[in-house]
Amino acid sequence: AIIGDGKLGLLIAEVLGRHAASLGEGTPRPVLFGRHAAKMGLLSSAAQVETAFAASALPARAASFDVVVDATGSPTGLDLARSLCRPLGAVVLKSTCAAGADFNTAPFVVDELRVVGSRCGPFPPALELMAAGLDLTPLISATYPLEEAMAAVEKARTKGTLKVQIRVCSDEAAPELDTSL
């Protein structure tokens, strides 16, 4: 399971979903738990990811997953990840979480959960996925020319914005990119 439908959660769901699909019949599909139907709808059909609202995850899916990836960076997301993980399972933290002194670590100990930090993944497989046709353009909320960089930064600060692209040259002047690895 993946918790969080922001840009990081969507990318993780896309990659894990495609990987699970490549393993064939009988491989469980990842589930992305999020709060925004529109964001979860950005996943490609190739990902074969089930989506569900985080608010409805419990109690029905409590302790249902061997591995849960938290991509929320919030104490609430981390607590949900813990609740969805089976005893002896693993919670993978993909973003930092300032949980504070009030955060209860007892359930992690009682359920003997492994907590794994994961900052950056391997870049070559990510580039191969992109070269094979992984379309990331649905994650781009807006595109601005370089001359409007300050407006782009303001847009990036807007709630609900995923990624903002700044073009440094016009399409006509853009060089062909070599995507071979």
Side-chain angles (χ1 to χ4, degrees):
I2 303 100
I3 313 298
D5 58 8
K7 51 192 157 254
L8 184 58
L10 291 171
L11 285 170
I12 293 166
E14 187 75 37
V15 170
L16 291 180
R18 285 170 179 253
H19 178 69
S22 75
L23 297 176
E25 284 292 317
T27 303
R29 292 179 4 177
V31 180
L32 172 64
F33 292 96
R35 298 187 314 179
H36 309 94
K39 286 183 179 180
M40 291 188 287
L42 295 174
L43 291 170
S44 75
S45 60
Q48 298 183 17
V49 173
E50 178 186 339
T51 59
F53 288 105
S56 64
L58 299 174
R61 292 190 127 158
S64 295
F65 301 94
D66 293 322
V67 178
V68 181
V69 179
D70 176 26
T72 66
S74 75
T76 305
L78 179 56
D79 193 48
L80 178 59
R82 191 252 334 138
S83 296
L84 294 175
C85 196
R86 288 189 177 112
L88 301 175
V91 175
V92 180
L93 304 179
K94 283 301 293 181
S95 54
T96 57
C97 175
D102 295 350
F103 190 76
N104 183 7
T105 60
F108 288 87
V109 176
V110 170
D111 288 341
E112 300 182 49
L113 299 178
R114 288 176 289 131
V115 178
V116 180
S118 174
R119 177 133 166 92
C120 295
F123 284 95
L127 294 173
E128 287 171 14
L129 261 177
M130 290 172 61
L134 174 59
D135 182 14
L136 297 176
T137 56
L139 300 180
I140 300 172
S141 298
T143 301
Y144 290 83
L146 182 59
E147 301 78 35
E148 297 177 30
M150 292 308 293
V153 170
E154 287 304 313
K155 175 66 176 174
R157 290 182 179 148
T158 305
K159 189 173 179 84
T161 299
L162 290 173
K163 286 288 187 184
V164 174
Q165 176 177 271
I166 298 175
R167 289 193 176 258
V168 295
C169 60
S170 67
D171 286 339
E172 301 85 44
E176 287 295 319
L177 297 178
D178 180 7
T179 58
S180 63
L181 297 176

